Amino acid sequence: MRILAIDVGTGTQDIMIYDDEKELENSIKLVLPSPHLYISQKIREIDNDIYFDGEIMGGGKLKKTLTEHMDKGYKVVMEELPAKTIRDKISQVEAIGIEIASPDKDYKDYTKITLGDIDITKLSEFLLGYDLEFDFDEIAIAVQDHGYNENMGDRDFRFEKFREKLISPIKPEEFSFKGNTPQYYTRMKAVERQIKKEGIDLKPLLMDTKFASIAGMCHDDIASQLKSFIAIDIGNGHTTAASIEEGKIQGIFEHHTSSLTPESLENYLKRLADGIITNEEVYNDHGHGAHVIKPISKIEKVIVSGPKRELIEKTNLDWHHACPGGDVMMTGTVGLIKTLEAYDV
């Protein structure tokens, strides 16, 4: 079985092409700039009005880059679907000066940019340039999706869905979708549509980047020998930790990385392991929240991943940098592959 796994993060998109007839370590791997970064760079190089079509994607630096472009006197027009990349409510998109495309207007003189978290055509052209076969049995993709509910802020809604899922201890792989992605996960649904538009007749496995990373960490050589531990992804924007016992998540907490110090992080992880961390303390500290089913026996080790993982090195905790498949950059993609293998495909 050949699998294409793509983990779209804030800084990079990590790609692995896995063939189960070969060792995981012999997989083809790519680490490329995250889509919002190279699209932002493209915008900065354009001296013209811009028209956006395509899909909802991770916004990242796009709002700031578009604001700077409009400050130069240029117009920005977006079709309604990609406009939700900036804000889910179109009125808020219009409020910052972006025009929503009208079928009655002609935009032929505008420079066109297509938005989307993935570009299978570009990837296939790159791989075929190296005489690599672009033929897969399965596709698995991870994006960070806060979900959307018009009556609730995304910080609250994202964690509410975590709590609904974690009503009893479950494996990280269960935080995934394959043909059953809820409509409120608008970014994941956009990826599904992109796959279909590319003419690919495969039902992709979709997962939030944080749970893909946690799943990958559990398949690290050191982690696989442990009974109870903490798996934590310290990302550029968000930090997500799960307490693990016998391979199942017992509790989670999520915060904004920039708001954490080594001291506060160590305190949160200890309280997570002890089962006494509360949603209120994390939320009131401007984080997303916390939810615990039960404590774990002990923190045998903290398994850590993510670009800001050096934060854990300043704590007094016993830590290990996850490197499933021998690569610290492929934690999310390995998590996607292992999750897909857990399905009856």
Side-chain angles (χ1 to χ4, degrees), residues 94-110:
E94 294 176 310
I96 66 173
I98 295 173
E99 179 184 340
I100 301 303
S102 168
D104 302 324
K105 292 186 178 181
D106 183 4
Y107 303 102
K108 67 179 181 179
D109 294 328
Y110 285 58

Side-chain angles (χ1 to χ4, degrees), residues 31-266:
V31 178
L32 302 172
S34 190
H36 77 94
L37 293 177
Y38 63 71
I39 292 175
S40 291
Q41 181 59 39
K42 183 185 295 186
I43 293 168
R44 286 191 287 268
E45 294 171 354
I46 294 172
D47 294 319
N48 193 23
D49 300 327
I50 305 178
Y51 181 93
F52 291 89
D53 63 4
E55 275 290 353
I56 302 168
M57 65 175 288
K61 294 180 178 295
L62 287 178
K63 179 182 176 182
K64 181 175 183 293
T65 307
L66 290 176
T67 301
E68 291 171 349
H69 194 71
M70 290 186 291
D71 287 343
K72 295 177 183 177
Y74 297 113
K75 294 179 181 179
V76 171
V77 176
M78 306 185 84
E79 294 182 2
E80 188 166 322
L81 197 58
K84 293 182 179 181
T85 295
I86 308 303
R87 295 295 298 177
D88 286 297
K89 291 185 178 180
I90 296 301
S91 60
Q92 294 178 343
V93 178
E94 294 176 310
I96 66 173
I98 295 173
E99 179 184 340
I100 301 303
S102 168
D104 302 324
K105 292 186 178 181
D106 183 4
Y107 303 102
K108 67 179 181 179
D109 294 328
Y110 285 58
T111 300
K112 177 183 169 184
I113 295 178
T114 300
L115 297 187
D117 272 315
I118 59 171
D119 190 335
I120 297 296
T121 299
K122 180 183 288 188
L123 180 60
S124 65
E125 291 171 350
F126 177 83
L127 293 173
L128 289 170
Y130 283 88
D131 292 326
L132 295 171
E133 184 181 1
F134 196 81
D135 184 26
F136 304 101
D137 301 297
E138 298 288 344
I139 294 179
I141 299 171
V143 295
Q144 188 173 73
D145 198 332
H146 283 71
Y148 175 63
N149 182 318
E150 63 180 8
N151 300 314
M152 188 180 297
D154 58 7
R155 184 165 62 119
D156 303 79
F157 189 64
R158 174 175 169 83
F159 215 82
E160 178 179 280
K161 293 303 171 185
F162 290 172
R163 282 193 292 268
E164 288 179 5
K165 186 73 173 178
L166 193 64
I167 57 176
S168 61
I170 59 175
K171 294 182 177 180
E173 291 85 353
E174 294 183 57
F175 280 90
S176 61
F177 306 99
K178 198 170 189 289
N180 61 337
T181 309
Q183 290 295 330
Y184 51 75
Y185 281 133
T186 57
R187 194 174 169 191
M188 292 187 194
K189 295 300 289 186
V191 170
E192 285 185 338
R193 290 191 295 268
Q194 280 192 274
I195 293 291
K196 192 172 182 178
K197 288 175 185 176
E198 294 273 5
I200 298 173
D201 189 24
L202 290 175
K203 191 179 295 180
L205 178 135
L206 296 167
M207 207 167 185
D208 189 272
T209 53
K210 294 303 184 183
F211 287 99
S213 179
I214 290 168
M217 282 186 267
C218 290
H219 289 278
D220 173 84
D221 288 344
I222 298 296
S224 62
Q225 300 174 31
L226 304 174
K227 176 186 176 183
S228 59
F229 60 95
I230 298 287
I232 179 169
D233 182 293
I234 307 178
N236 289 306
H238 294 83
T239 290
T240 307
S243 52
I244 310 286
E245 182 98 29
E246 300 287 4
K248 293 186 176 182
I249 297 176
Q250 310 295 326
I252 55 175
F253 99 90
E254 187 168 75
H255 213 307
H256 295 107
T257 304
S258 60
S259 299
L260 292 169
T261 65
E263 292 75 22
S264 66
L265 178 60
E266 181 173 339

